Amino acid sequence: MIKVAIAGARGKMGIEAVHTVMKREGMQLVAVLDYKKMGSTLAHLDVFPESYDVPIYTDFAQLVDDTQPDVLVDLTNPHSVYEHTKQALELNVRPVIGTTGFTDEQLAELTELAARKRIGAIIAPNFAIGAILMMKFAREAAKYLPDVEIIEMHHDKKLDAPSGTGLKTAQMIAEVRQAKIQGHPTEKETLAGARGADYDGMKIHSVRLPGLVAHQQVLFGGEGQLLTIRHDSLNRESFMSGISFCIETVITMESLVYGLENII
Ligand code: NAP
């Protein structure tokens, strides 16, 4: 039985993740981590049934002492995720991180820490299998069509831009294409930001609107042709099989993996 703790259990993703772990055979939700005292168990929160007798902690070290989780799933926000991940590794709890917004320096430090402690960790900017395929197909297409722009579209409560998936897609494309400045060499923005963010000469555009969940298009342009690779997460259930897969996989690993595409 894999013992799981979840940080961010009251959030949109967290609520779904709690139900997923509670229903999944071979997993036990032993605790949740919050930063506010919201009640002693999940049963005290309106969003969960009374049968969810899972303790809520505000102190992670105490949570680990009392409930000994194997895995911490983090679905919080870019401000707290780095500390949670680091603390989990230091306390020998394997992190499965869905929260986006790490800097390259933070990723490097956590990778080194996991390797030194020989503890598995997964940081997955996107848990949806379709989004992983979109990134893989985009990397393949960029070998032949190196002019590419990314449009990522999310709900307007999202805190970081570009999205972790948008950034990861650009990184994967950059592995196979020569850095290349796109558009006209002397183009000039008459309104700042009009051409989007720049990654190795590739442009990333972030759309934030109510009604959206998580969507991305990768547009390739060639002579007389266009290719668009598009993925849409229509609800948060699209991420749940990826979360279960990561929980089951991370306990077999001894290092940090960034991106689900590296393990499926
Ligand atoms: P959300 O609805 O805002 O949920 C975040 C929850 O975390 C809130 O309940 C928040 O509480 C809580 N929280 C904040 N700081 C915390 C802390 N230090 N300890 C414990 N809980 C804390 O956001 P969401 O839509 O569920 O998304 C959560 C994260 O997952 C975001 O970073 C998002 O980008 C990411 N995400 C990832 C994927 C993926 O496939 N990897 C998919 C979708 C979303 P308060 O509201 O009271 O502050």
Side-chain angles (χ1 to χ4, degrees):
M1 185 69 79
I2 307 172
K3 292 164 86 178
V4 180
I6 297 179
R10 281 182 294 113
K12 294 180 284 298
M13 284 286 283
I15 291 170
E16 292 290 335
V18 164
H19 291 309
T20 299
V21 174
M22 291 293 281
K23 279 189 275 182
R24 185 93 176 178
E25 267 183 39
M27 287 181 199
Q28 184 192 359
L29 185 62
V30 293
V32 303
L33 179 67
D34 210 315
Y35 70 109
K36 300 177 190 161
K37 195 71 198 159
M38 301 295 294
S40 55
T41 73
L42 283 182
H44 292 120
L45 307 185
D46 293 346
V47 286
F48 296 113
E50 285 193 3
S51 58
Y52 282 21
D53 196 17
V54 177
I56 303 173
Y57 286 82
T58 49
D59 179 336
F60 186 54
Q62 188 68 53
L63 180 157
V64 174
D65 252 10
D66 290 354
T67 65
Q68 302 287 310
D70 302 301
V71 176
L72 171 73
V73 176
D74 187 291
L75 298 161
T76 61
N77 65 36
H79 309 300
S80 30
V81 66
Y82 167 71
E83 276 307 321
H84 286 170
T85 313
K86 192 171 162 191
Q87 219 183 345
L89 287 168
E90 281 164 350
L91 295 170
N92 300 318
V93 180
R94 296 161 187 84
V96 167
I97 308 297
T99 309
T100 51
F102 288 95
T103 64
D104 288 348
E105 293 73 28
Q106 289 173 338
L107 283 174
E109 194 189 318
L110 294 168
T111 303
E112 195 275 324
L113 179 58
R116 183 154 38 86
K117 298 206 69 170
R118 297 174 66 96
I119 296 176
I122 301 175
I123 299 179
N126 204 312
F127 287 119
I129 179 70
I132 306 305
L133 294 172
M134 167 190 64
M135 289 189 264
K136 286 195 170 200
F137 296 158
R139 176 167 56 189
E140 190 60 19
K143 290 179 192 165
Y144 309 97
L145 293 167
D147 285 272
V148 47
E149 303 220 359
I150 297 168
I151 305 174
E152 56 92 346
M153 297 169 281
H154 284 81
H155 58 89
D156 61 346
K157 302 285 184 294
K158 186 166 177 57
L159 292 177
D160 53 322
S163 68
T165 304
L167 200 53
K168 182 72 184 164
T169 308
Q171 287 165 351
M172 286 173 65
I173 289 173
E175 287 166 15
V176 298
R177 96 170 192 153
Q178 291 279 341
K180 172 173 189 207
I181 296 171
Q182 292 176 195
H184 195 281
T186 61
E187 75 182 5
K188 185 166 174 283
E189 285 182 337
T190 52
L191 196 57
R195 288 288 290 123
D198 186 279
Y199 188 96
D200 256 359
M202 217 180 308
K203 301 296 180 189
I204 309 179
H205 310 270
S206 298
V207 177
R208 297 289 176 264
L209 285 173
L212 292 169
V213 179
H215 317 258
Q216 182 168 293
Q217 295 179 37
V218 191
L219 283 68
F220 296 89
E223 283 175 12
Q225 57 182 317
L226 291 170
L227 169 67
T228 303
I229 301 174
R230 176 178 178 132
H231 177 259
D232 297 274
S233 272
L234 302 174
N235 58 44
R236 288 174 180 82
E237 276 171 38
S238 64
F239 305 116
M240 294 303 134
S241 56
I243 292 185
S244 300
F245 171 77
C246 287
I247 293 170
E248 284 157 359
T249 305
V250 77
I251 58 164
T252 67
M253 295 166 37
E254 293 192 339
S255 61
L256 185 149
V257 167
Y258 174 53
L260 216 47
E261 65 285 354
N262 295 309
I263 43 176
I264 57 169

